[in-house]
């Protein structure tokens, strides 16, 4: 198993570009199912999750041309008139985002079968709001042999109020309702920038959606949609990775493509901690000098601090001056698997339910550790930038699910970081 070797070094300096948002492109790919023909998606990150989502679509009979991905960040997707509206378990279980093919398949073909998402390192993630929403649009939903099967001759517009602004439920129900008969109103929707991106794509395909960036979406169903070309928004979580790297290693870095307006609350929190982000032409500029300062962090749905930023912020807090309380408000209490790894590096963190208390230490101490998921894995790589000695991040394939090449990006800023193929078992 490949691992990443990190040693603390000089302050980071230079320019790094962010790819298109992972959490947006996967939904844009699912949205192509809504219209037959040739779709072009640009600014696509060359990451493993895009490959797997491409395989999910291919298994349905969709043509997915990735030949332009590495050089031009472009995906060409040919959706036939007739597809097999089913996602195979072997692929769907690899990425939980595959659940969002359900809405477009059901809307277009009147039937969809998708494996129920299983548990992962974050624990189980229910999909009750997706199911209730489909039912409100007139679908019959059954769970059989581990699959979720939904049927409806034609979906009919309805009123849906989400119990919680779930990103996935908002996207799935939005994609179902654009081809439903009549008007659908969805209340308490998620407002993440990736949802705005999906709305822009659907609108360009001919959908009628009002209320972008607000908590209520009103969708007038149309009979058909058409393919289009769409550029994915930049990945704000990847941008946050580099910003926190600057906080840990000090320095001054331009993150090309990043949009400050998508990261307002994060920028405010980082400023409290001594890491300053400002908008520049086509990107943001990040500077940091000296030891960061502790600040309490609470995750919330957008525009609050994203739960996906938390591993980075918590890592920064491990070497900050002071004590901070980190509160997880989006997921269950067990989203702290990487904390044990940081503790192996000498971090002083105590978790209790949804809370973590982090007492900053002056330096971490390099150790062999393991990545558990994409963002936590990246955070552990960053931890190595503030650690004495060598940090070896095993199970680094998790990181490749969401970063085209995190190692190359950090290296381009002067970080001492390398891929390594160990002879042993990755630890
Ligand atoms: C998406 C992101 C993920 C991010 C999360 C929250 C993608 C591919 N993933 O995940 O990186 O961490 O948003 O910003 O875009 N819930 C229910 N019932 C439901 C649906 C959700 O109880 O029917 C709960 C979940 O268990 C969780 C919370 O709602 O506690 C938020 O989940 P949700 O916003 O749906 O996250 P995802 O779309 O899965």
């Amino acid at each position: 198993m490949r691992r990443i070797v990190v040693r603390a070094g000089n302050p980071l300096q230079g320019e790094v570009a962010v790819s298109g948002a992972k959490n947006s492109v996967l939904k844009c790919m699912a949205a192509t199912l809504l219209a037959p023909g040739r779709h072009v998606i640009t600014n696509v990150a060359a990451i493993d999750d895009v490959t797997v989502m491409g395989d999910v679509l291919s298994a349905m009979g969709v043509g997915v041309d990735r030949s332009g991905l590495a050089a031009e960040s472009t995906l060409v997707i040919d959706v036939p008139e007739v597809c097999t509206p089913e996602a195979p378990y072997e692929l769907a279980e690899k990425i939980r985002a595959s659940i969002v093919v359900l809405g477009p398949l059901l809307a277009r073909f009147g039937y969809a079968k998708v494996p129920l998402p299983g548990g992962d390192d974050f624990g189980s993630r229910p999909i009750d709001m997706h199911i209730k929403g489909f039912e409100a649009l007139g679908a019959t939903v059954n769970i059989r042999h581990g699959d979720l099967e939904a049927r409806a001759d034609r979906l009919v517009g309805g009123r849906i109020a989400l119990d919680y602004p779930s990103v996935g439920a908002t996207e799935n129900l939005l994609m179902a309702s654009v081809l439903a008969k009549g008007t659908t109103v969805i209340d308490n929707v998620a407002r993440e920038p990736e949802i705005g991106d999906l709305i822009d794509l659907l609108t360009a395909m001919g959908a009628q959606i009002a209320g972008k960036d607000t908590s209520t979406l009103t969708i007038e169903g149309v009979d058909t949609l058409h393919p289009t070309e769409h550029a994915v928004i930049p990945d704000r979580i990847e941008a946050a990775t580099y910003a926190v790297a600057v906080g840990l290693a000090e320095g001054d870095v331009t993150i090309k493509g990043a949009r400050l307006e998508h990261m307002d609350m994060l920028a405010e929190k980082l400023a409290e901690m001594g890491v300053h982000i400002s908008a520049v032409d086509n990107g943001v500029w990040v500077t940091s000098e000296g030891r960061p300062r502790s600040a309490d962090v609470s995750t919330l749905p957008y525009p609050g601090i994203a739960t996906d930023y938390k591993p980075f912020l918590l890592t920064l807090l491990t070497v900050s001056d002071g004590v901070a309380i980190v509160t997880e408000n989006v997921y269950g209490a067990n989203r702290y698997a990487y904390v044990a790894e940081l503790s192996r590096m000498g971090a002083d963190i105590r978790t209790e339910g949804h809370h973590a208390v982090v007492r900053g230490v002056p330096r971490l101490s390099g150790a062999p550790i393991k990545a558990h998921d994409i963002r936590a894995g990246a955070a552990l790589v960053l931890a190595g930038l503030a650690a004495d000695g060598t940090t070896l991040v095993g199970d680094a394939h998790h990181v490749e699910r969401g970063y085209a090449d995190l190692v190359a990006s950090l290296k381009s800023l002067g970080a001492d970081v390398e891929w390594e193929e160990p002879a042993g078992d990755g630890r």
Side-chain angles (χ1 to χ4, degrees):
M1 227 32 116
R2 299 217 298 166
R3 60 186 181 176
I4 298 174
V5 187
V6 197
R7 288 179 202 89
N10 296 324
L12 304 183
Q13 224 111 47
E15 271 188 10
V16 64
V18 283
S19 306
K22 171 185 86 72
N23 286 355
S24 187
V25 67
L26 300 176
K27 326 305 169 62
C28 292
M29 292 171 77
T32 63
L33 291 165
L34 286 162
R38 195 177 175 81
H39 304 251
V40 179
I41 311 181
T42 61
N43 201 31
V44 178
I47 52 175
D48 289 356
D49 275 18
V50 166
T51 305
V52 177
M53 194 61 159
D55 291 344
V56 169
L57 296 182
S58 300
M60 295 173 185
V62 172
V64 180
D65 179 359
R66 301 187 195 97
S67 58
L69 193 52
E72 296 144 32
S73 312
T74 298
L75 261 185
V76 179
I77 300 182
D78 274 296
V79 178
E81 288 292 340
V82 179
C83 295
T84 310
E86 299 182 3
Y89 174 75
E90 301 68 39
L91 295 171
E93 61 101 18
K94 289 190 191 168
I95 48 167
R96 312 177 53 84
S98 55
I99 190 78
V100 296
V101 298
L102 217 142
L105 288 176
L106 180 61
R108 185 144 165 252
F109 302 107
Y111 173 76
K113 188 163 102 171
V114 176
L116 276 174
D120 59 16
D121 274 350
F122 303 158
S124 69
R125 289 204 221 173
I127 52 159
D128 52 311
M129 285 186 262
H130 302 236
I131 295 174
K132 265 206 259 174
F134 290 130
E135 286 171 345
L137 299 176
T140 308
V141 181
N142 286 302
I143 293 171
R144 253 198 292 262
H145 309 301
D147 292 321
L148 196 146
E149 275 186 286
R151 276 174 215 280
D153 284 344
R154 169 136 194 221
L155 293 172
V156 183
R159 218 184 156 95
I160 302 166
L162 298 178
D163 294 340
Y164 180 91
S166 151
V167 171
T170 301
E171 293 163 337
N172 229 345
L173 298 171
L174 175 62
M175 288 193 272
S177 59
V178 288
L179 288 178
K181 191 174 163 58
T183 309
T184 300
V185 177
I186 317 177
D187 268 327
N188 197 25
V189 293
R191 289 178 286 158
E192 271 67 1
E194 293 75 26
I195 288 172
D197 199 28
L198 178 63
I199 291 175
D200 286 346
L201 167 63
L202 293 170
T203 305
M205 290 171 73
Q208 305 276 318
I209 304 164
K212 183 183 161 193
D213 296 333
T214 76
S215 294
T216 302
L217 294 175
T218 305
I219 302 113
E220 293 296 335
V222 295
D223 290 335
T224 55
L225 295 168
H226 54 78
T228 186
E229 180 169 334
H230 178 76
V232 176
I233 57 165
D235 197 318
R236 65 197 164 102
I237 317 286
E238 186 186 358
T241 316
Y242 305 132
V244 169
V246 174
L248 287 159
E250 304 187 35
D252 115 53
V253 163
T254 301
I255 308 175
K256 283 170 67 184
R259 292 193 197 158
L260 187 56
E261 71 268 25
H262 290 169
M263 315 163 59
D264 276 341
M265 300 279 277
L266 176 73
E268 275 183 39
K269 185 53 68 182
L270 284 174
E272 260 183 73
M273 299 176 74
V275 182
H276 299 280
I277 307 184
S278 46
V280 292
D281 219 16
N282 186 30
V284 300
W285 184 57
V286 188
T287 58
S288 155
E289 216 184 280
R291 189 173 177 196
R293 294 183 295 277
S294 292
D296 292 344
V297 172
S298 279
T299 65
L300 279 174
Y302 193 83
I305 304 251
T307 183
D308 293 2
Y309 296 145
K310 196 183 63 187
F312 310 131
L313 293 171
L314 198 139
T315 300
L316 187 58
L317 288 169
T318 62
V319 291
S320 294
D321 189 11
V323 180
I325 300 175
V326 179
T327 305
E328 172 61 60
N329 292 308
V330 176
Y331 287 108
N334 53 352
R335 215 172 140 88
Y336 282 111
Y338 56 97
V339 163
E341 307 292 333
L342 287 170
S343 299
R344 300 194 71 241
M345 297 179 72
D348 182 349
I349 307 168
R350 179 169 302 191
T351 59
E352 181 67 52
H354 290 251
H355 305 285
V357 177
V358 190
R359 290 181 177 82
V361 296
R363 295 288 286 173
L364 295 174
S365 155
I369 46 176
K370 275 194 177 179
H372 293 264
D373 73 82
I374 303 172
R375 305 305 176 183
L380 293 176
V381 175
L382 299 191
L385 298 175
D388 293 331
T390 305
T391 300
L392 301 164
V393 183
D395 284 356
H397 58 278
H398 285 293
V399 176
E400 292 181 280
R401 283 188 46 202
Y403 293 84
D405 194 345
L406 180 64
V407 168
S409 297
L410 291 172
K411 236 174 136 87
S412 74
L413 299 173
D416 185 351
V417 48
E418 218 89 53
W419 279 109
E420 186 201 75
E421 317 277 348
D425 68 356
R427 229 201 209 204

